[in-house]
Amino acid sequence: MDNSIIFAVGGVILGLVIGFIIAKTLEKNNASKLVKEAKKSATLILKEAKSEGESLKKDKILQAKEKFIELKSEHEKVILTRDKKMADAEKRTRDKESQVSSELSKSKKLNDTLESKIKNYNHRLDVVEKKQEEVDRLHKSQVQQLEVISSLSAEEAKEQLVESLKGEAKNDAMAYIQSSLEEAKLTAEQDAKKVIINTIQRIGTEEAVDNCVSVFNIESDDVKGRIIGREGRNIRAIEAATGVEIIVDDTPEAIILSCFDSVRREVARLSLHKLVTDGRIHPARIEEVVKKTQKQIEQEIIEVGKRTVIDLGIHNLHPELIKMVGRMKYRSSYGQNLLQHSREVAKLCGVMAAELGLNPKLAKRAGLLHDIGKVPDAEADMETPHAILGMQWAEKFNEKDDVCNAIGAHHDEIEMKSLLAPIIQVCDAISGARPGARRQVLDSYIQRLKDLEEIAFGFSGVKKAYAIQAGRELRVIVESEKVDDQKASELSFSISQKVQTDMTYPGQVKVTVIRETRAVNIAK
């Protein structure tokens, strides 16, 4: 039993030893195979590394050669550029040297020529001085001989000669002046008439005579009742707002507007046209339309002035002067429309100045502006003669001196200083002297109406004053805050006494003072 166990254990141990030996042997075989394979792999890797190294080495060598060639070419270019610059500089230097040498040779030749000329000049100068001395000596001897022969000194002979020449020249001059004056007298009047006749023939304009009455046409007589309003309130409101007398009579389909001021009359006409067209006629609407129409007239005045200066070819006129030119449309001079008169004078002046060889544009400018003093901005300006006032305005707005002098001198208030002034004066007379151009009575009548309104404005509290019914009534509108009912009655009496004392007029003048009180509130 024990032996079998021992044999069994020994067999196991023997088996283990044999297995261990077999395992080691197998492991050694495997290790040797792995080592061989590793050596093979290492050999392959070394071969590949060597081949890659060779290729990299060749690439780097090629890159280095290319870089070297590139740097060498750039260096050669720089060297060539530098050599070229140096060659150009040397060439310029040689050219300058040759130029300087040629200029030096030229200057040397010039200096030699100049020196020879100076020597020649000095020689000639010496000869001339000697000859001058000889001439002076001979002149003195001749003068002495003449003094001995004539028994006169040189100064006395000179004085006698001068006196004789003066007498002859004076006689010749007087004869020439006399013949020139006679010729001028024969031809001047004829030439002047010729210039004036040619000018008038070339300017053919219509005469524009202003009246103090405008006719407002209506479609039917039913409109008259709407214009009059209940108890005449509408017509009173229109007359108070515009200062124009409205005459509604039996004339079919017509209403007459009477006023000496053309602007007021035009405002009333346009306002009535708007009211009748709109259909709403009541005092509040009337005041609103009249205010809008007054603004429209102001804008139209500016447009008329612009169109006038454009038509006449006048440039760079001050805006204020353009506005004054437009205002002349609504002014008259002895019944002649002031704008038409000024346009006609401007055209006459342009043609006459061209005939006389003067500046026609400047003459047109002075002709258009010669009567701007007749449209004063303030009543205080009316005391100054219109020619002087127009000259002052032209100077204020930087017009030329010739234009200002022509405006101020066209009625001989100041001295004429240029040929433009008499031309303006003549053309103004030509325009005003045409048959039917002016009516003296109308202008004096308009002036009387203006004076009548001015008397009313001389009292405090007066807001508006209108002379209506051909000057037989003075309607005065006062400020209700400053004038009460008692003062209104006193004011009416005071104005009537002032009119009776200061003015001369036929018949009677009715003074009506109107005081209106309004209470206005707004519901919000």
Side-chain angles (χ1 to χ4, degrees):
M1 185 72 178
D2 293 330
N3 290 327
S4 57
I5 293 169
I6 292 170
F7 283 129
V9 171
V12 171
I13 292 170
L14 182 61
L16 288 172
V17 171
I18 292 168
F20 178 74
I21 291 168
I22 292 168
K24 283 290 184 180
T25 303
L26 291 173
E27 184 179 355
K28 186 176 180 180
N29 292 332
N30 289 332
S32 63
K33 287 180 181 180
L34 289 172
V35 169
K36 288 180 180 178
E37 290 176 358
K39 285 181 179 180
K40 288 180 181 179
S41 299
T43 303
L44 292 173
I45 290 169
L46 286 174
K47 287 181 180 180
E48 290 177 357
K50 283 182 181 180
S51 63
E52 288 179 0
E54 290 294 331
S55 63
L56 286 172
K57 183 178 178 181
K58 289 178 181 179
D59 291 338
K60 293 296 182 181
I61 290 170
L62 289 174
Q63 289 177 2
K65 286 181 179 180
E66 290 176 356
K67 187 69 174 177
F68 175 74
I69 292 168
E70 183 180 354
L71 292 173
K72 184 179 179 181
S73 63
E74 290 179 358
H75 181 66
E76 288 175 352
K77 287 180 182 179
V78 171
I79 290 172
L80 289 173
T81 305
R82 190 179 302 166
D83 292 341
K84 187 177 180 181
K85 288 181 179 178
M86 290 177 67
D88 292 339
E90 289 176 357
K91 184 179 178 182
R92 287 196 299 269
T93 304
R94 286 195 299 271
D95 294 339
K96 287 183 179 179
E97 287 177 354
S98 62
Q99 185 179 0
V100 169
S101 62
S102 63
E103 289 179 355
L104 286 174
S105 61
K106 286 181 182 179
S107 62
K108 187 176 180 181
K109 289 179 181 178
L110 289 173
N111 287 332
D112 295 339
T113 306
L114 183 61
E115 287 178 358
S116 64
K117 287 183 178 180
I118 290 171
K119 289 179 181 179
N120 190 15
Y121 173 76
N122 291 331
H123 177 68
R124 290 184 179 182
L125 188 61
D126 294 337
V127 173
V128 168
E129 287 178 354
K130 290 178 181 180
K131 288 184 178 181
Q132 184 66 36
E133 290 175 359
E134 183 69 20
V135 169
D136 292 340
R137 187 178 59 78
L138 292 173
H139 178 70
K140 286 181 181 179
S141 64
Q142 288 177 358
V143 169
Q144 289 174 359
Q145 290 176 4
L146 287 172
E147 288 177 354
V148 171
I149 294 170
S150 62
S151 301
L152 292 173
S153 65
E155 293 296 329
E156 292 174 351
K158 189 184 292 184
E159 288 178 1
Q160 288 184 5
L161 180 61
V162 168
E163 288 296 329
S164 65
L165 290 174
K166 279 184 179 179
E168 291 178 3
K170 188 174 182 181
N171 292 332
D172 293 341
M174 289 299 293
Y176 178 75
I177 290 171
Q178 188 67 27
S179 63
S180 298
L181 285 174
E182 290 176 359
E183 184 179 356
K185 286 179 181 178
L186 291 173
T187 59
E189 187 174 355
Q190 184 178 359
D191 291 342
K193 287 181 179 178
K194 182 179 178 182
V195 170
I196 292 173
I197 290 170
N198 287 337
T199 303
I200 294 172
Q201 287 176 345
R202 291 170 63 182
I203 303 297
T205 58
E206 297 180 356
E207 296 303 327
V209 179
D210 280 353
N211 297 314
C212 292
V213 174
S214 296
V215 177
F216 178 72
N217 297 314
I218 55 178
E219 295 179 355
S220 64
D221 290 341
D222 295 338
V223 181
K224 291 183 179 180
R226 294 166 57 195
I227 292 175
I228 294 171
R230 183 178 298 175
E231 297 178 357
R233 64 174 187 172
N234 289 345
I235 196 169
R236 286 199 303 273
I238 295 172
E239 289 180 346
T242 61
V244 175
E245 182 182 4
I246 300 177
I247 302 171
V248 182
D249 54 13
D250 296 335
T251 305
E253 298 181 355
I255 294 175
I256 298 174
L257 308 178
S258 176
C259 182
F260 68 92
D261 193 327
S262 302
V263 178
R264 291 188 204 165
R265 199 165 64 247
E266 184 67 12
V267 169
R269 188 186 69 80
L270 292 175
S271 300
L272 272 177
H273 178 72
K274 291 179 180 178
L275 290 168
V276 171
T277 304
D278 184 50
R280 294 177 294 167
I281 306 176
H282 53 83
R285 176 66 177 166
I286 289 168
E287 291 182 359
E288 178 185 352
V289 170
V290 168
K291 288 181 180 178
K292 289 182 179 179
T293 306
Q294 287 172 346
K295 292 180 180 179
Q296 179 183 343
I297 289 293
E298 288 294 325
Q299 189 62 34
E300 184 180 349
I301 284 171
I302 297 173
E303 292 298 324
V304 168
K306 289 180 179 179
R307 287 198 300 270
T308 301
V309 297
I310 290 171
D311 291 344
L312 294 175
I314 297 172
H315 304 288
N316 300 325
L317 197 65
H318 195 279
E320 287 298 325
L321 292 179
I322 292 176
K323 188 176 180 181
M324 290 177 187
V325 170
R327 287 170 58 188
M328 288 196 291
K329 178 182 178 182
Y330 300 102
R331 293 290 187 274
S332 61
S333 176
Y334 299 102
Q336 185 181 22
N337 182 271
L338 195 57
L339 181 59
Q340 293 295 332
H341 165 65
S342 297
R343 286 173 65 100
E344 184 178 9
V345 171
K347 292 178 180 178
L348 288 168
C349 290
V351 175
M352 193 172 290
E355 290 285 342
L356 297 173
L358 302 176
N359 187 346
K361 291 185 178 180
L362 206 62
K364 278 187 180 181
R365 197 181 193 94
L368 179 64
L369 299 177
H370 81 283
D371 268 349
I372 56 173
K374 290 186 178 180
V375 285
D377 288 330
E379 298 299 334
D381 293 334
M382 296 180 66
E383 299 177 0
T384 307
H386 76 273
I388 302 298
L389 184 60
M391 181 186 69
Q392 292 173 355
W393 283 345
E395 290 174 348
K396 178 181 178 182
F397 298 118
N398 300 321
E399 287 295 320
K400 292 185 178 180
D401 293 338
D402 290 347
V403 174
C404 297
N405 178 256
I407 294 171
H410 79 277
H411 284 310
D412 293 324
E413 275 89 358
I414 63 173
E415 181 185 357
M416 296 183 181
K417 296 181 180 180
S418 68
L419 288 176
L420 204 60
I423 291 176
I424 303 301
Q425 190 178 48
V426 170
C427 294
D428 182 37
I430 291 171
S431 177
R434 288 178 183 269
R438 293 187 171 184
R439 294 196 299 235
Q440 302 286 341
V441 178
L442 177 62
D443 201 66
S444 60
Y445 158 72
I446 291 174
Q447 187 60 42
R448 183 168 66 86
L449 296 184
K450 288 182 178 179
D451 294 341
L452 192 62
E453 291 182 353
E454 280 302 306
I455 289 175
F457 280 114
F459 291 86
S460 62
V462 176
K463 184 178 180 181
K464 298 178 182 178
Y466 302 125
I468 60 177
Q469 294 186 4
R472 292 191 297 272
E473 181 179 354
L474 179 62
R475 189 166 294 177
V476 182
I477 301 173
V478 297
E479 299 178 10
S480 60
E481 296 84 1
K482 296 182 180 180
V483 180
D484 56 15
D485 292 339
Q486 181 66 28
K487 287 184 179 179
S489 178
E490 295 175 359
L491 184 62
S492 176
F493 177 76
S494 300
I495 293 174
S496 65
Q497 294 299 312
K498 182 75 172 175
V499 170
Q500 185 174 345
T501 304
D502 295 352
M503 294 189 66
T504 303
Y505 51 90
Q508 298 178 344
V509 177
K510 178 183 177 182
V511 179
T512 304
V513 176
I514 301 173
R515 178 178 180 270
E516 183 180 18
T517 305
R518 294 186 185 183
V520 179
N521 287 294
I522 299 173
K524 298 182 180 179

Short mmCIF file of all heavy atoms in Angstrom, two decimals, residues 214-217 238 242 244 246 255 257 262-276 289-290 293 296-297 300 329-330:
data_model
loop_
_atom_site.label_atom_id
_atom_site.label_comp_id
_atom_site.label_asym_id
_atom_site.label_seq_id
_atom_site.Cartn_x
_atom_site.Cartn_y
_atom_site.Cartn_z
N SER A 214 -63.86 149.07 -59.72
CA SER A 214 -63.80 147.75 -60.32
C SER A 214 -65.21 147.17 -60.33
O SER A 214 -66.00 147.42 -59.40
CB SER A 214 -62.87 146.82 -59.55
OG SER A 214 -61.55 147.29 -59.61
N VAL A 215 -65.53 146.41 -61.35
CA VAL A 215 -66.85 145.78 -61.46
C VAL A 215 -66.69 144.30 -61.18
O VAL A 215 -65.87 143.62 -61.82
CB VAL A 215 -67.44 146.01 -62.86
CG1 VAL A 215 -68.78 145.30 -62.98
CG2 VAL A 215 -67.59 147.49 -63.15
N PHE A 216 -67.47 143.81 -60.20
CA PHE A 216 -67.45 142.39 -59.84
C PHE A 216 -68.70 141.74 -60.42
O PHE A 216 -69.83 142.08 -60.04
CB PHE A 216 -67.41 142.22 -58.32
CG PHE A 216 -67.43 140.79 -57.86
CD1 PHE A 216 -66.33 139.98 -58.04
CD2 PHE A 216 -68.57 140.24 -57.29
CE1 PHE A 216 -66.35 138.66 -57.64
CE2 PHE A 216 -68.58 138.93 -56.89
CZ PHE A 216 -67.47 138.14 -57.06
N ASN A 217 -68.50 140.85 -61.37
CA ASN A 217 -69.62 140.20 -62.04
C ASN A 217 -70.12 139.01 -61.23
O ASN A 217 -69.32 138.25 -60.65
CB ASN A 217 -69.21 139.73 -63.43
CG ASN A 217 -68.82 140.89 -64.34
OD1 ASN A 217 -69.52 141.89 -64.39
ND2 ASN A 217 -67.70 140.76 -65.03
N ILE A 238 -67.54 143.30 -44.92
CA ILE A 238 -66.60 143.36 -46.05
C ILE A 238 -65.97 144.73 -46.15
O ILE A 238 -64.75 144.88 -46.34
CB ILE A 238 -67.31 142.99 -47.36
CG1 ILE A 238 -67.78 141.53 -47.33
CG2 ILE A 238 -66.39 143.20 -48.56
CD1 ILE A 238 -68.66 141.14 -48.49
N THR A 242 -61.93 145.38 -45.63
CA THR A 242 -61.13 145.73 -46.80
C THR A 242 -60.94 147.23 -47.00
O THR A 242 -60.00 147.65 -47.68
CB THR A 242 -61.77 145.15 -48.07
OG1 THR A 242 -63.08 145.70 -48.23
CG2 THR A 242 -61.86 143.63 -47.98
N VAL A 244 -63.05 149.08 -48.68
CA VAL A 244 -63.56 149.34 -50.03
C VAL A 244 -65.06 149.57 -49.93
O VAL A 244 -65.77 148.85 -49.24
CB VAL A 244 -63.25 148.14 -50.96
CG1 VAL A 244 -63.88 148.34 -52.32
CG2 VAL A 244 -61.75 147.96 -51.10
N ILE A 246 -68.63 149.18 -51.27
CA ILE A 246 -69.33 148.24 -52.16
C ILE A 246 -70.67 148.85 -52.52
O ILE A 246 -71.50 149.13 -51.64
CB ILE A 246 -69.51 146.87 -51.48
CG1 ILE A 246 -68.12 146.29 -51.13
CG2 ILE A 246 -70.27 145.91 -52.37
CD1 ILE A 246 -68.18 144.99 -50.40
N ILE A 255 -71.67 144.07 -59.29
CA ILE A 255 -71.48 144.85 -58.06
C ILE A 255 -70.26 145.73 -58.28
O ILE A 255 -69.24 145.28 -58.81
CB ILE A 255 -71.28 143.93 -56.84
CG1 ILE A 255 -72.55 143.14 -56.55
CG2 ILE A 255 -70.87 144.73 -55.61
CD1 ILE A 255 -72.39 142.13 -55.44
N LEU A 257 -67.08 147.95 -56.97
CA LEU A 257 -66.14 148.13 -55.86
C LEU A 257 -65.42 149.45 -56.10
O LEU A 257 -64.75 149.63 -57.12
CB LEU A 257 -65.12 146.99 -55.82
CG LEU A 257 -65.71 145.57 -55.82
CD1 LEU A 257 -64.58 144.55 -55.84
CD2 LEU A 257 -66.59 145.35 -54.61
N SER A 262 -55.52 150.59 -55.17
CA SER A 262 -55.69 149.41 -56.03
C SER A 262 -55.52 148.11 -55.26
O SER A 262 -56.15 147.10 -55.58
CB SER A 262 -54.68 149.46 -57.18
OG SER A 262 -54.84 150.63 -57.93
N VAL A 263 -54.65 148.11 -54.25
CA VAL A 263 -54.42 146.88 -53.47
C VAL A 263 -55.68 146.51 -52.70
O VAL A 263 -56.12 145.36 -52.70
CB VAL A 263 -53.23 147.07 -52.52
CG1 VAL A 263 -53.02 145.83 -51.68
CG2 VAL A 263 -51.97 147.39 -53.30
N ARG A 264 -56.27 147.49 -52.03
CA ARG A 264 -57.51 147.21 -51.30
C ARG A 264 -58.60 146.71 -52.25
O ARG A 264 -59.34 145.77 -51.94
CB ARG A 264 -58.00 148.48 -50.61
CG ARG A 264 -57.15 148.97 -49.46
CD ARG A 264 -57.90 150.09 -48.80
NE ARG A 264 -57.03 151.00 -48.08
CZ ARG A 264 -57.39 152.20 -47.66
NH1 ARG A 264 -58.61 152.64 -47.90
NH2 ARG A 264 -56.55 152.97 -47.00
N ARG A 265 -58.71 147.36 -53.40
CA ARG A 265 -59.76 146.98 -54.35
C ARG A 265 -59.55 145.55 -54.86
O ARG A 265 -60.49 144.78 -55.00
CB ARG A 265 -59.75 147.98 -55.50
CG ARG A 265 -61.04 147.98 -56.30
CD ARG A 265 -61.17 149.21 -57.19
NE ARG A 265 -60.14 149.25 -58.21
CZ ARG A 265 -59.16 150.15 -58.27
NH1 ARG A 265 -59.08 151.08 -57.34
NH2 ARG A 265 -58.26 150.12 -59.24
N GLU A 266 -58.28 145.19 -55.12
CA GLU A 266 -57.99 143.84 -55.59
C GLU A 266 -58.26 142.80 -54.49
O GLU A 266 -58.78 141.71 -54.75
CB GLU A 266 -56.54 143.75 -56.05
CG GLU A 266 -56.13 142.43 -56.66
CD GLU A 266 -56.82 142.14 -57.98
OE1 GLU A 266 -57.45 143.06 -58.55
OE2 GLU A 266 -56.72 141.00 -58.46
N VAL A 267 -57.91 143.15 -53.23
CA VAL A 267 -58.20 142.25 -52.11
C VAL A 267 -59.70 142.02 -51.99
O VAL A 267 -60.18 140.89 -51.79
CB VAL A 267 -57.62 142.82 -50.80
CG1 VAL A 267 -58.14 142.04 -49.60
CG2 VAL A 267 -56.10 142.77 -50.82
N ALA A 268 -60.48 143.12 -52.10
CA ALA A 268 -61.93 142.99 -52.00
C ALA A 268 -62.49 142.14 -53.15
O ALA A 268 -63.37 141.29 -52.95
CB ALA A 268 -62.57 144.37 -52.00
N ARG A 269 -61.98 142.34 -54.36
CA ARG A 269 -62.49 141.58 -55.51
C ARG A 269 -62.21 140.08 -55.37
O ARG A 269 -63.10 139.24 -55.56
CB ARG A 269 -61.85 142.12 -56.80
CG ARG A 269 -62.45 141.53 -58.07
CD ARG A 269 -61.67 142.01 -59.29
NE ARG A 269 -60.32 141.43 -59.31
CZ ARG A 269 -60.06 140.20 -59.74
NH1 ARG A 269 -61.04 139.40 -60.15
NH2 ARG A 269 -58.82 139.74 -59.74
N LEU A 270 -60.95 139.74 -55.00
CA LEU A 270 -60.62 138.33 -54.84
C LEU A 270 -61.38 137.70 -53.67
O LEU A 270 -61.80 136.54 -53.74
CB LEU A 270 -59.11 138.18 -54.63
CG LEU A 270 -58.22 138.53 -55.84
CD1 LEU A 270 -56.75 138.46 -55.46
CD2 LEU A 270 -58.51 137.60 -57.01
N SER A 271 -61.54 138.46 -52.58
CA SER A 271 -62.27 137.94 -51.42
C SER A 271 -63.73 137.66 -51.79
O SER A 271 -64.29 136.61 -51.42
CB SER A 271 -62.19 138.92 -50.26
OG SER A 271 -60.86 139.14 -49.87
N LEU A 272 -64.36 138.59 -52.51
CA LEU A 272 -65.75 138.37 -52.93
C LEU A 272 -65.85 137.16 -53.84
O LEU A 272 -66.79 136.36 -53.73
CB LEU A 272 -66.26 139.61 -53.66
CG LEU A 272 -66.90 140.71 -52.80
CD1 LEU A 272 -67.28 141.89 -53.65
CD2 LEU A 272 -68.12 140.18 -52.06
N HIS A 273 -64.87 137.00 -54.73
CA HIS A 273 -64.89 135.83 -55.62
C HIS A 273 -64.83 134.53 -54.82
O HIS A 273 -65.58 133.58 -55.10
CB HIS A 273 -63.72 135.93 -56.60
CG HIS A 273 -63.62 134.76 -57.53
ND1 HIS A 273 -64.51 134.55 -58.58
CD2 HIS A 273 -62.74 133.71 -57.56
CE1 HIS A 273 -64.18 133.43 -59.21
NE2 HIS A 273 -63.11 132.92 -58.61
N LYS A 274 -63.94 134.48 -53.82
CA LYS A 274 -63.83 133.27 -53.00
C LYS A 274 -65.10 133.02 -52.20
O LYS A 274 -65.56 131.88 -52.08
CB LYS A 274 -62.63 133.40 -52.06
CG LYS A 274 -61.29 133.36 -52.76
CD LYS A 274 -60.15 133.52 -51.76
CE LYS A 274 -58.80 133.50 -52.47
NZ LYS A 274 -57.68 133.69 -51.52
N LEU A 275 -65.67 134.09 -51.64
CA LEU A 275 -66.87 133.93 -50.82
C LEU A 275 -68.05 133.45 -51.66
O LEU A 275 -68.80 132.56 -51.25
CB LEU A 275 -67.21 135.26 -50.13
CG LEU A 275 -66.26 135.71 -49.02
CD1 LEU A 275 -66.53 137.15 -48.63
CD2 LEU A 275 -66.40 134.81 -47.81
N VAL A 276 -68.22 134.05 -52.84
CA VAL A 276 -69.34 133.66 -53.70
C VAL A 276 -69.16 132.23 -54.20
O VAL A 276 -70.10 131.45 -54.27
CB VAL A 276 -69.47 134.66 -54.87
CG1 VAL A 276 -70.47 134.16 -55.90
CG2 VAL A 276 -69.89 136.03 -54.35
N VAL A 289 -61.32 135.05 -44.92
CA VAL A 289 -60.99 135.08 -46.34
C VAL A 289 -60.19 136.32 -46.69
O VAL A 289 -59.24 136.26 -47.49
CB VAL A 289 -62.29 135.00 -47.18
CG1 VAL A 289 -61.99 135.28 -48.65
CG2 VAL A 289 -62.93 133.64 -47.03
N VAL A 290 -60.52 137.47 -46.10
CA VAL A 290 -59.79 138.71 -46.38
C VAL A 290 -58.34 138.59 -45.94
O VAL A 290 -57.41 139.00 -46.66
CB VAL A 290 -60.48 139.91 -45.71
CG1 VAL A 290 -59.57 141.14 -45.75
CG2 VAL A 290 -61.80 140.21 -46.41
N THR A 293 -56.53 136.39 -48.37
CA THR A 293 -56.34 137.09 -49.65
C THR A 293 -55.23 138.12 -49.56
O THR A 293 -54.46 138.31 -50.51
CB THR A 293 -57.66 137.76 -50.06
OG1 THR A 293 -58.70 136.79 -50.07
CG2 THR A 293 -57.53 138.37 -51.45
N GLN A 296 -52.11 136.33 -49.96
CA GLN A 296 -51.96 135.93 -51.35
C GLN A 296 -51.50 137.10 -52.22
O GLN A 296 -50.66 136.94 -53.11
CB GLN A 296 -53.30 135.39 -51.86
CG GLN A 296 -53.28 134.96 -53.32
CD GLN A 296 -54.66 134.52 -53.79
OE1 GLN A 296 -55.54 134.24 -52.99
NE2 GLN A 296 -54.84 134.46 -55.09
N ILE A 297 -52.03 138.30 -51.95
CA ILE A 297 -51.62 139.49 -52.71
C ILE A 297 -50.15 139.79 -52.47
O ILE A 297 -49.41 140.16 -53.39
CB ILE A 297 -52.51 140.68 -52.33
CG1 ILE A 297 -53.92 140.48 -52.88
CG2 ILE A 297 -51.92 141.98 -52.87
CD1 ILE A 297 -54.02 140.52 -54.38
N GLU A 300 -48.24 137.45 -54.52
CA GLU A 300 -48.38 137.80 -55.93
C GLU A 300 -47.52 139.01 -56.29
O GLU A 300 -46.96 139.09 -57.38
CB GLU A 300 -49.84 138.09 -56.25
CG GLU A 300 -50.08 138.36 -57.72
CD GLU A 300 -51.54 138.65 -58.03
OE1 GLU A 300 -52.38 138.43 -57.14
OE2 GLU A 300 -51.81 139.11 -59.14
N LYS A 329 -47.32 147.50 -59.34
CA LYS A 329 -48.49 147.08 -60.12
C LYS A 329 -49.77 147.67 -59.56
O LYS A 329 -50.73 147.93 -60.28
CB LYS A 329 -48.56 145.55 -60.12
CG LYS A 329 -49.76 145.00 -60.87
CD LYS A 329 -49.82 143.49 -60.80
CE LYS A 329 -51.07 142.97 -61.52
NZ LYS A 329 -51.18 141.49 -61.42
N TYR A 330 -49.78 147.89 -58.25
CA TYR A 330 -50.99 148.39 -57.59
C TYR A 330 -50.85 149.87 -57.21
O TYR A 330 -51.45 150.33 -56.25
CB TYR A 330 -51.28 147.55 -56.35
CG TYR A 330 -51.51 146.10 -56.67
CD1 TYR A 330 -50.51 145.15 -56.46
CD2 TYR A 330 -52.71 145.67 -57.22
CE1 TYR A 330 -50.71 143.82 -56.78
CE2 TYR A 330 -52.91 144.34 -57.54
CZ TYR A 330 -51.91 143.42 -57.31
OH TYR A 330 -52.12 142.11 -57.63
#
